[in-house]
Amino acid sequence: MANKKRYTTAFGIPVDNDQNSKSAGKRGPLLMQDVHLLEKLGHFDRERIPERVVHAKGAGAHGYFEVTGDVSKYTKADFLSKVGKQTEVFARFSTVGGEKGSADAARDPRGFALKFYTEEGNYDMTGNNTPVFFIRDPLKFPDFIHTQKRHPATNCKDADMFWDFLSLTPESVHQVTILFSDRGTPATFRNMNGYSSHTFVWYNDKGEHFYVQYHFKTDQGIKNLDRHQATKMAGEDPDHATRDLYQAIERGEQPSWTLEVQILSPEQAENFGWDIYDITKVWPHSEVPPMEVGKLVLNKNPENYFAEVEQAAFSPGNLVPGITISNDKMLQSRVFSYHDTHIHRLGPNYHLIPVNRPKNSPENSYQRDAFMRTDGNFGGTPNYWPNSFDDTETDPSTAEPVQDLVGQTGRHTIDFPNDDFVQPGNLYRKVMSEQDRENLVGNIADHLSHAQKRIQMRQTALFYKADQDYGTRVAKALGLDVGEVEKLAGMSEEDRVSATAKGTYGS
Ligand code: NDP
């Protein structure tokens, strides 16, 4: 026993035997007084915590962020305040729709979540590997996610529900085009970019504010799987991207990304051709050239997956002075939803879990008690503020700039500019190579062919509206009548929907 550790129960009591349960006689039933067995089974029964409803499958690593470009005139964020400044970071990459055991090679956006442990508290950036999103109003989010998950009756993924919703949601066509390009199946987490997708607001010491979008460009180069490689990979190694990240860091490689930002002044934003709060649009590089800000480097694997990756909790509402949210409706709803999800999944004290703790700016709040308060709960110090005992003060200098708001309350549509087809069309025509276009059309046809014909028609009309050649090629790949697709594409939204309603096209 000299150099060995003593096996104990969770309460530190020595365990006499861990191979044989206590029974009444050699062949008799088990005994209630086998506390070790009861404790062991009881804990095992509760090992799983609720899975994230989205982004369930993921991998993470520790690292740092270093400032390489001076942006201090745009933001007073301390961690961005001077070239050379380094901040500890934890990153988590994920797929979105699949369950915790699903394949890393699935066609899906990839989450790109970062936690910066700044000296002004934790700053979280919860981005994706795509610069846009499927919808721009959060009321549609639960419905959208349901359609990407399992059918309520069959419990199988279902092409009808997947494409029915998207084809009834024309603003999705930009993101659908990116998702069904080979960027929808990145080769690894290291070979993809990360984008804030949302517009954020930066503000400086003078109270001036600016609109910002983040682009984390992979230094490993973009590499994707084509659909045949992705299908093979999903079967052969469903954890390939998780394994790749871990092994690369174990080998001593330090995957990195260069952060570039696009910045608009309020005046520029006012006269901009796109709604800066519409997450289905990008800011064209030619109009808003990206500028380099820093480098994200990952150099340390988690020691324990559950502790550090599964329990990592990010929220776009975790902002530091100098950075705040914009009026992007999707972003505003995520500020609620992420925190709410973590309270459900990890409990109200999830900020005490080491990976989530603000380790470079210790908590000094007046929140107390609740499930799993695992520290000293601030001992006997006051649990209210203001108080005349503990000398804590608030800091008005960290307040964000005030905003003038006008307008009538109501369920408003985002309708400026009312064209969801220009940017996906530009992507197809100007950015993609002929090989990219061929793969895009093949990837779409491979999936959309499983939906009912009326849904195929409705969706292909959206591709046609983005670009005639795009719609024509998808129609041909699906064996649809191109003339009919063209006719649908020329209709109003209402007519297109009724021309493809239930019962049409033999459904
Ligand atoms: P640019 O030609 O200046 O930029 C196009 C960008 O598209 C590239 O810089 C690259 O962004 C990205 N890209 C390259 N190949 C692909 C591909 N196969 N699939 C998806 N994206 C690709 O033109 P614009 O800025 O005017 O944008 C044109 C279109 O490009 C947009 O409508 C949008 O669909 C897409 N795009 C634009 C981005 C932006 O922020 N402006 C970002 C990403 C895509 P990156 O270097 O980030 O990989």
Side-chain angles (χ1 to χ4, degrees):
M1 211 48 204
N3 294 321
K4 295 206 172 167
K5 282 188 290 179
R6 186 165 69 178
Y7 185 156
T8 73
T9 69
F11 299 94
I13 300 161
V15 173
D16 63 316
N17 181 322
D18 188 53
Q19 296 293 295
N20 307 105
S21 315
K22 268 188 198 162
S23 54
K26 241 181 168 11
R27 307 192 61 215
L30 299 184
L31 295 174
M32 279 292 281
Q33 66 252 39
D34 190 348
V35 174
H36 175 52
L37 174 70
L38 300 186
E39 178 196 301
K40 193 170 173 181
L41 292 180
H43 192 275
F44 174 74
D45 293 348
R46 291 163 181 80
E47 269 181 11
R48 290 293 167 272
I49 59 174
E51 190 173 279
R52 291 166 166 91
V53 66
V54 284
H55 298 279
K57 174 83 185 288
H62 300 268
Y64 65 90
F65 177 78
E66 180 169 334
V67 179
T68 56
D70 184 4
V71 284
S72 55
K73 69 176 175 184
Y74 301 110
T75 176
K76 64 177 181 182
D78 178 66
F79 81 104
L80 296 173
S81 61
K82 58 174 192 292
V83 171
K85 189 168 174 68
Q86 288 195 356
T87 301
E88 285 176 82
V89 167
F90 182 74
R92 182 175 183 271
F93 308 122
S94 53
T95 49
V96 179
E99 299 85 0
K100 211 168 155 324
S102 57
D104 288 345
R107 182 171 305 288
D108 210 357
R110 301 293 186 270
F112 194 106
L114 303 175
K115 188 178 290 297
F116 298 78
Y117 300 98
T118 88
E119 288 152 45
E120 294 179 309
N122 287 355
Y123 170 56
D124 293 348
M125 204 289 305
T126 53
N128 276 334
N129 71 327
T130 58
V132 293
F133 198 63
F134 298 89
I135 51 170
R136 54 185 165 226
D137 192 299
L139 255 187
K140 302 184 183 190
F141 188 78
D143 304 275
F144 162 65
I145 292 297
H146 288 169
T147 69
Q148 311 297 294
K149 291 200 173 258
R150 294 176 183 275
H151 187 277
T154 64
N155 198 37
C156 294
K157 297 275 174 107
D158 190 280
D160 277 344
M161 56 196 264
F162 184 99
W163 289 105
D164 192 30
F165 180 88
L166 293 174
S167 63
L168 292 169
T169 311
E171 70 266 28
S172 65
V173 71
H174 193 185
Q175 173 79 325
V176 168
T177 302
I178 295 174
L179 179 65
F180 278 84
S181 78
D182 285 345
R183 285 196 177 198
T185 46
T188 72
F189 291 135
R190 295 182 297 135
N191 294 108
M192 64 186 200
N193 293 340
Y195 303 89
S196 63
S197 313
H198 298 290
T199 296
F200 284 87
V201 175
W202 276 4
Y203 54 95
N204 62 19
D205 272 332
K206 296 186 206 148
E208 296 164 329
H209 71 277
F210 303 88
Y211 298 101
V212 186
Q213 294 212 340
Y214 302 1
H215 305 246
F216 287 87
K217 302 288 202 65
T218 171
D219 293 332
Q220 291 68 239
I222 296 267
K223 265 198 221 151
N224 303 312
L225 302 174
D226 68 28
R227 69 178 175 284
H228 309 291
Q229 292 168 322
T231 305
K232 191 162 177 281
M233 186 64 90
E236 286 178 357
D237 184 1
D239 306 319
H240 86 278
T242 305
R243 196 184 314 286
D244 171 83
L245 181 67
Y246 193 91
Q247 290 182 343
I249 294 174
E250 282 304 286
R251 284 194 301 271
E253 290 173 31
Q254 303 199 348
S256 65
W257 286 259
T258 301
L259 171 61
E260 296 176 355
V261 292
Q262 289 180 291
I263 298 188
L264 284 173
S265 68
E267 300 70 40
Q268 288 170 315
E270 191 81 305
N271 300 309
F272 198 50
W274 300 100
D275 185 335
I276 60 162
Y277 303 137
D278 178 353
I279 193 176
T280 67
K281 306 294 184 299
V282 295
W283 299 356
H285 290 137
S286 55
E287 293 172 52
V288 196
M291 69 173 84
E292 190 178 315
V293 177
K295 187 75 89 187
L296 166 71
V297 179
L298 299 182
N299 56 9
K300 184 175 172 291
N301 275 319
E303 282 169 26
N304 184 280
Y305 181 86
F306 182 85
E308 292 155 73
V309 187
E310 186 62 9
Q311 294 196 114
F314 303 84
S315 171
N318 287 343
L319 300 154
V320 289
I323 304 176
T324 190
I325 58 165
S326 71
N327 295 342
D328 175 339
K329 295 177 184 181
M330 290 293 293
L331 174 58
Q332 298 208 330
S333 76
R334 292 176 77 204
V335 166
F336 160 74
S337 244
Y338 277 59
H339 180 63
D340 188 50
T341 303
H342 302 321
I343 291 176
H344 160 66
R345 215 169 67 81
L346 302 164
N349 282 314
Y350 73 89
H351 59 291
L352 299 179
I353 297 170
V355 70
N356 299 325
R357 274 198 113 120
K359 54 179 154 179
N360 293 317
S361 172
E363 178 194 2
N364 190 24
S365 78
Y366 293 84
Q367 292 161 29
R368 299 287 188 273
D369 307 352
F371 282 118
M372 299 309 293
R373 184 85 219 192
T374 55
D375 62 355
N377 199 22
F378 287 99
T381 62
N383 58 359
Y384 62 94
W385 196 91
N387 69 68
S388 54
F389 292 99
D390 74 355
D391 273 346
T392 296
E393 59 183 10
T394 53
D395 180 359
S397 76
T398 61
E400 61 193 68
V402 293
Q403 284 188 63
D404 287 328
L405 292 177
V406 284
Q408 296 184 319
T409 58
R411 298 193 182 278
H412 299 288
T413 339
I414 296 180
D415 54 6
F416 161 77
N418 195 14
D419 197 328
D420 294 316
F421 302 98
V422 172
Q423 293 200 351
N426 284 342
L427 174 61
Y428 180 84
R429 281 183 297 271
K430 299 203 224 156
V431 179
M432 289 187 172
S433 66
E434 181 46 31
Q435 184 65 58
D436 291 336
R437 288 192 278 260
E438 193 181 314
N439 291 8
L440 169 72
V441 169
N443 295 342
I444 291 172
D446 197 46
H447 196 293
L448 183 53
S449 58
H450 298 286
Q452 293 179 14
K453 187 167 174 200
R454 65 190 182 87
I455 297 173
Q456 293 182 21
M457 294 292 291
R458 196 197 293 143
Q459 180 64 43
T460 307
L462 295 183
F463 297 136
Y464 194 93
K465 278 170 75 104
D467 183 276
Q468 268 191 22
D469 179 65
Y470 182 10
T472 303
R473 283 169 71 169
V474 172
K476 285 186 177 159
L478 290 166
L480 304 177
D481 181 326
V482 178
E484 275 198 69
V485 168
E486 185 183 3
K487 214 163 81 191
L488 283 174
M491 290 179 183
S492 70
E493 177 61 11
E494 207 180 355
D495 290 347
R496 191 173 59 84
V497 171
S498 72
T500 53
K502 202 167 142 195
T504 59
Y505 294 98
S507 66

